[in-house]
Amino acid sequence: MAGVKRRRDGTVPEMTPPSTEDEANDAFPPNYTAEVPFTIEILKSVDTRPKKAKKTKTAADDHSDTRVQQSEGVQPIPYVVRPGTLWDSQKKYKNFVVSDNTFGINDYIYVNHNVAANIAAAEAGQEPSIKDDDVQDFWIAKVLEIRASGSANVYIRVYWMYWPQDIPGGRKSYHGKSELIASNHMDIIDAMTVAGKAEVTRFEEKDDEPTVPDLYWRQTYDTVTNKVSQNLRRGCVCSGFHNPDKLLIHCEEKECDKWLHEDCIVEYALDQEWERLAGGDQVASGDRKESKLGKKAGKEGFKPWKGKLTGKLEAEEVEGGETKTISGKITITDIRNKKKHQMSTVDAVCPNCHVALSPA
């Protein structure tokens, strides 16, 4: 059995992700209409005629060309910038500088919620500081286009990256703590809101033993259809998605050759232990009635041992923290007696082929 702990490049940000019940980040998606003189209008198709701009002093001579934005992984969208004439009059640039840091097209950037604080820090000559434990306090975006009419008026057209808790359906169990969702939500922001460069990588899930980047994305969110892609790789006996932060274990039986979720191996052991206790008359009558529901209830996610037994796959990190050595044993703790917990050790068994998983 080979245990693979998907590790990150470099230092891992110590973050506590919100649960599915937690509220989404404040004021997301952000609204910059009061801070920049431009807005984005998303069209249903390339052939759709842009709505006529209101005749104001700014937009009286507005000429907005329809454009289509292409970006890795996300659904292309046709759009227009308002006012188009003013936008087209801005000079295009390949990069921009904030606090001596250079940012270019296709870079990922941290965007500060507090614009005034960012400007004050820049005027004071202070460089933006992003601590590992407050990464989720920033918005993250991908730079698509840079335009400016002078050093004090630099505008960035971006696609927003979402944290899982900010998309429809919220954060799921398979989302890693440093996982983002790429979107085609487009905005134009002031360069002075940029707090730093973010290292974001697309995580393909093609290899069995990949290294997980510090920040990554696998799914996309289409803001036009309000749908999140479900292009994640399924695996294990549960045919579920994998959380890159958790352990994957390989059953090396040739007839099996499955990569298994650590949780599924432990739950299978708990199922077997509960049945053993029921057969040995060590389960209370009420619990035994639940146990007899067995496989039928299991299909519905019923776990008769929940709140009564816990399990832990024994493993330890080797030098460098790149992998975990698996002992092939699971420690099961009977917590029904709160004063004295009983512990036992059982073999880790593959839930698919039912063969004991040998130590890695």
Side-chain angles (χ1 to χ4, degrees), residues 24-241:
N25 288 342
D26 292 338
F28 197 93
N31 184 350
Y32 281 93
T33 56
E35 299 170 18
V36 298
F38 303 104
T39 59
I40 298 286
E41 180 185 340
I42 303 301
L43 307 178
K44 292 182 179 180
S45 68
V46 179
D47 296 329
T48 304
R49 283 192 171 191
K51 296 178 181 178
K52 289 185 179 180
K54 293 181 179 179
K55 290 189 176 182
T56 63
K57 290 182 180 180
T58 305
D61 59 346
D62 181 32
H63 175 73
S64 302
D65 291 330
T66 301
R67 301 171 170 89
V68 177
Q69 178 61 52
Q70 304 278 349
S71 185
E72 181 187 18
V74 300
Q75 184 67 28
I77 53 171
Y79 71 97
V80 294
V81 178
R82 301 286 192 187
T85 303
L86 180 60
W87 179 252
D88 289 338
S89 70
Q90 309 288 303
K91 186 176 179 180
K92 283 187 177 182
Y93 290 87
K94 293 182 179 179
N95 52 57
F96 65 98
V97 178
V98 176
S99 299
D100 297 327
N101 295 310
T102 302
F103 306 89
I105 293 173
N106 292 324
D107 279 351
Y108 291 91
I109 54 176
Y110 289 109
V111 180
N112 203 326
H113 295 201
N114 192 333
V115 179
N118 223 40
I119 295 174
E123 290 176 346
Q126 300 172 355
E127 290 195 12
S129 176
I130 300 172
K131 298 178 181 178
D132 289 341
D133 58 358
D134 64 4
V135 169
Q136 292 204 23
D137 290 336
F138 290 88
W139 293 318
I140 297 178
K142 182 179 182 179
V143 177
L144 303 174
E145 186 178 9
I146 305 163
R147 293 202 181 218
S149 60
S151 60
N153 298 294
V154 181
Y155 302 105
I156 317 301
R157 187 167 58 83
V158 301
Y159 266 161
W160 290 110
M161 304 294 289
Y162 279 63
W163 292 109
Q165 61 268 20
D166 293 319
I167 61 173
R171 179 177 287 274
K172 304 298 183 184
S173 61
Y174 53 79
H175 287 135
K177 62 184 179 182
S178 297
E179 183 163 1
L180 295 159
I181 311 293
S183 84
N184 57 5
H185 174 191
M186 191 187 300
D187 255 329
I188 295 174
I189 65 173
D190 192 306
M192 290 307 298
T193 63
V194 177
K197 187 176 291 187
E199 297 298 330
V200 181
T201 305
R202 184 176 186 178
F203 184 39
E204 297 280 4
E205 290 192 299
K206 289 184 177 179
D207 303 317
D208 288 324
E209 303 183 28
T211 297
V212 181
D214 283 353
L215 289 169
Y216 62 93
W217 63 273
R218 296 182 291 174
Q219 293 176 282
T220 59
Y221 172 44
D222 188 341
T223 56
V224 177
T225 62
N226 205 34
K227 291 182 179 179
V228 180
S229 67
Q230 296 296 323
N231 57 327
L232 303 180
R233 186 173 68 176
R234 294 184 180 273
C236 190
V237 291
C238 68
S239 297
F241 302 135

